[in-house]
Amino acid sequence: FFPHVWQMPYRRKTPRVLLVDDDVNVRHLLRRFFSGLGLHVIEADNPFAALGRIADGPFELAVSDINMPERTGVWLLEELRSREPELPVVVMTAGELQSSGLRALFGLDVRVVRKPFELGEMETVVRELIPHLLEEPLPALSSAPALDSLPGTDHPYLYASTVDGEMLWNTG
């Protein structure tokens, strides 16, 4: 008899996303959201910390706010491009930033999401950039239960904003 050989099922390495935002509430929301898509999230609260986290890579996606203290997300994007030229990037902004200009400077795998945004919009953008790395689609966010409540309240939120530095919540 031959010894029974147990084959371990192949387990794909969990795709990793570098998430950079100075707003802890936005990071909390997006960490939960990306985890729900099957991504492992590494957070940084500023561009300098993000560059330090690059050593924790490799990453399959970077998501960064544009307006942050000390250095902007555009500066971070330049640094990421010099170190990881093929890394897909989503930049978030509440200001006026032209997608076409960023793509011309940094490549076609850069997407802009305007704050406030709905998580469904972020999911669409991420699925366009890294469709082969994500788990099955989430149910429609409009019918899904809220991801969490704002700290200190019982109001569920479904999308992110920089208005007054807090999350907006679904009151419906």
Side-chain angles (χ1 to χ4, degrees), residues 28-158:
H28 175 77
L29 171 69
L30 290 176
R31 179 182 60 237
R32 299 269 321 254
F33 173 70
F34 289 130
S35 294
L37 290 176
L39 299 170
H40 179 74
V41 179
I42 303 296
E43 296 179 44
D45 62 357
N46 65 65
F48 294 113
L51 291 180
R53 300 298 241 150
I54 288 294
D56 297 336
F59 293 95
E60 284 73 33
L61 177 69
V63 178
S64 177
D65 190 17
I66 289 293
N67 299 316
M68 293 181 280
E70 298 173 18
R71 292 287 184 168
T72 68
V74 173
W75 178 84
L76 176 60
L77 185 54
E78 291 172 353
E79 292 295 317
L80 288 174
R81 277 294 176 250
S82 70
R83 297 161 195 227
E84 301 285 338
E86 303 299 317
L87 181 67
V89 178
V90 177
V91 292
M92 305 174 293
T93 183
E96 291 300 315
L97 187 63
Q98 298 300 321
S99 299
S100 58
L102 274 181
R103 287 184 184 168
L105 288 172
F106 300 112
L108 294 176
D109 56 350
V110 174
R111 300 288 192 280
V112 176
V113 175
R114 297 195 189 288
K115 291 182 178 180
F117 57 84
E118 293 188 24
L119 292 176
E121 177 185 359
M122 179 65 79
E123 181 177 0
T124 299
V125 168
V126 171
R127 286 192 182 282
E128 289 173 1
L129 287 172
I130 56 168
H132 56 289
L133 297 175
L134 298 178
E135 293 180 356
E136 292 301 313
L138 296 173
L141 290 173
S142 60
S143 64
L147 293 176
D148 206 346
S149 296
L150 289 171
T153 75
D154 60 355
H155 298 289
Y157 57 79
L158 289 174

